[in-house]
Amino acid sequence: MKISIIGAGAMGGATVEGLVKGSTFRNEDITVSDPSQAVVDKFTKMGVSVTTDNQVAADGADIVCVVVKPWLVEQVLKGIKESLQPEKQILIVVAAGVKSASIKEWLGEKCPPLFLCIPNIAIAQMASMTFLVPSIATKPQHTELVKAIFDEMGSTIITDEQHLAAGTTLASCGIAYAMRYIRAASEGGVELGFKADDAKQIVMQTVLGAVKLLEASGLHPEAAIDLVTTPGGVTIKGLNEMEHAGFTSAVIRGLKAGAK
């Protein structure tokens, strides 16, 4: 089985890195197409196939992933249209806000079974939260295959097109929001007297620990918080100060803004 990634910027490049680390594909069965010579050189060193010709990439693949900026999707799809083989291939489009109806309009009868997909850049470390929408002409076996590919690189939720924007802001944008918390807490650690690198390491390990505790226990976050909030203690005082400053409200407002 061969897969081609057309567009190897931040998201496409991270996806290729995840595929290389995984076991689903051999490196020589992964093709990267990108106009940048620097990008081509980078992935050549990883042992994957490379090209600057999108049609070449599309022609030889069982799965074609188009991972470009939303405003470039139409141009790229029309550029590879004649190389697509609907009866033999699966098309995955990773681009926020691009509708399946538009893709069908651009490709017509040349549209293979189509999935809309939104991972996040942690896919490079096999830790993505990915949203997958089975769309045009997909079959259950297609969905099983594509989900298995992304499950190896993190966790995958099958959803519908209506919820894809919400998934994007919660997980794809959300990784930036999580990093902003880490940055803020690290700066607070410096103010408390730690060196910057030490503060960052402390905060990252603390966030990792919180995630692992919730995964292991299945507790709602508020129930887990109750375990460490001694009456009159410093934890509840800190939490209440954050809430006075609008912490929860700010997070929810940010998520809703990103989903518009």
Side-chain angles (χ1 to χ4, degrees), residues 125-163:
Q125 303 302 323
M126 316 299 276
S128 176
M129 180 66 251
T130 299
F131 293 86
L132 192 64
V133 178
S135 188
I136 299 167
T138 57
K139 298 178 180 179
Q141 59 265 36
H142 296 147
T143 301
E144 290 175 11
L145 172 62
V146 175
K147 186 176 186 297
I149 291 169
F150 284 95
D151 274 345
E152 188 181 25
M153 299 183 287
S155 296
T156 309
I157 288 181
I158 303 294
T159 187
D160 54 42
E161 197 162 345
Q162 179 181 351
H163 289 89

Side-chain angles (χ1 to χ4, degrees), residues 45-225:
K45 294 176 182 177
M46 292 186 183
V48 304
S49 301
V50 297
T51 181
T52 57
D53 189 328
N54 292 344
Q55 287 185 314
V56 170
D59 185 58
D62 300 297
I63 300 174
V64 179
C65 295
V66 174
V67 194
V68 297
K69 299 297 184 184
W71 56 87
L72 293 175
V73 173
E74 180 179 3
Q75 174 187 332
V76 170
L77 287 177
K78 287 182 176 178
I80 63 172
K81 181 176 179 179
E82 296 309 313
S83 296
L84 295 175
Q85 304 171 63
E87 68 283 357
K88 297 180 180 179
Q89 294 176 315
I90 293 172
L91 175 63
I92 301 172
V93 174
V94 180
V98 176
K99 304 297 184 184
S100 59
S102 298
I103 296 170
K104 178 62 176 176
E105 180 183 342
W106 297 331
L107 294 180
E109 295 304 314
K110 294 290 287 185
C111 186
L114 170 68
F115 289 85
L116 303 180
C117 180
I118 298 292
N120 64 37
I121 58 172
I123 198 168
Q125 303 302 323
M126 316 299 276
S128 176
M129 180 66 251
T130 299
F131 293 86
L132 192 64
V133 178
S135 188
I136 299 167
T138 57
K139 298 178 180 179
Q141 59 265 36
H142 296 147
T143 301
E144 290 175 11
L145 172 62
V146 175
K147 186 176 186 297
I149 291 169
F150 284 95
D151 274 345
E152 188 181 25
M153 299 183 287
S155 296
T156 309
I157 288 181
I158 303 294
T159 187
D160 54 42
E161 197 162 345
Q162 179 181 351
H163 289 89
L164 202 55
T168 300
T169 192
L170 195 58
S172 187
C173 303
I175 199 166
Y177 305 153
M179 289 178 181
R180 180 57 61 89
Y181 167 78
I182 292 171
R183 190 195 79 172
S186 298
E187 290 177 352
V190 173
E191 192 164 334
L192 292 171
F194 290 101
K195 292 181 179 179
D197 286 346
D198 291 340
K200 184 182 74 170
Q201 183 60 40
I202 291 165
V203 174
M204 288 194 302
Q205 182 60 39
T206 302
V207 171
L208 179 63
V211 170
K212 288 187 176 297
L213 281 169
L214 290 175
E215 286 180 339
S217 68
L219 289 171
H220 186 282
E222 200 60 36
I225 287 170

